[in-house]
């Protein structure tokens, strides 16, 4: 399965630079957490302060609910999320208490004649 999610960054060039630096090589525990929950691939793109994440998952393993539950019980993941929240900001459409939110697909060339 492929997911597309959005999140914003705080509008501060220094914070954005630091956020990008953290993502050049994420902590090994974070990569392991993602992979162990069926995340096969993940890419993050930025335009200004808007981030878009593309995530490919193994449907036989991945469950957003199970991964979120495991994250709440994992001190290293919680440390990473606390660190990342220094840089991140919810989009204007993000429900309270959430971070990354799914984007609605509105076009797919493969579905065109």
């Amino acid at each position: 399965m492929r997911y597309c999610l959005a999140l914003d960054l705080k509008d501060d060039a220094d914070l954005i630079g630091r956020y990008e630096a953290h993502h050049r090589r994420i902590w090994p525990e974070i990569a392991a957490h993602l992979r162990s929950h069926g995340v096969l691939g993940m890419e993050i793109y930025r335009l200004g302060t808007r981030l878009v994440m593309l995530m490919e998952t193994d449907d036989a393993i991945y469950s957003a609910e199970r991964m979120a539950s495991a994250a709440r019980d994992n001190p290293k993941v919680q440390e990473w999320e606390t660190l990342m929240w220094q840089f991140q900001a919810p989009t204007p459409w993000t429900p309270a208490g959430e971070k990354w939110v799914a984007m609605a697909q509105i076009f797919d060339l493969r579905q065109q004649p």
Side-chain angles (χ1 to χ4, degrees):
M1 184 70 132
R2 182 175 43 182
Y3 297 88
C4 183
L5 302 109
L7 179 68
D8 284 347
L9 291 173
K10 294 177 180 173
D11 193 4
D12 179 293
D14 180 59
L15 291 176
I16 291 170
R18 289 171 46 207
Y19 182 83
E20 289 185 359
H22 280 293
H23 283 80
R24 285 189 196 99
R25 177 144 331 258
I26 64 171
W27 300 348
E29 299 90 347
I30 304 308
H33 171 77
L34 294 168
R35 290 180 179 125
S36 72
H37 285 91
V39 177
L40 303 174
M42 180 181 283
E43 300 173 16
I44 299 174
Y45 296 86
R46 181 178 71 81
L47 176 64
T49 59
R50 179 69 33 92
L51 299 175
V52 174
M53 175 195 296
L54 301 177
M55 184 170 67
E56 300 278 342
T57 62
D58 179 343
D59 292 347
I61 300 170
Y62 179 77
S63 160
E65 295 79 21
R66 279 195 307 267
M67 189 165 85
S69 177
R72 284 189 294 274
D73 295 334
N74 183 318
K76 201 66 174 176
V77 173
Q78 288 304 303
E79 183 183 350
W80 175 262
E81 290 299 330
T82 299
L83 175 63
M84 291 302 104
W85 200 238
Q86 295 176 43
F87 311 106
Q88 298 167 334
T91 73
W93 310 278
T94 302
E98 294 186 30
K99 287 177 92 170
W100 289 97
V101 291
M103 298 180 76
Q105 182 184 50
I106 63 165
F107 176 79
D108 183 345
L109 180 61
R110 294 172 294 194
Q111 295 175 357
Q112 302 296 312

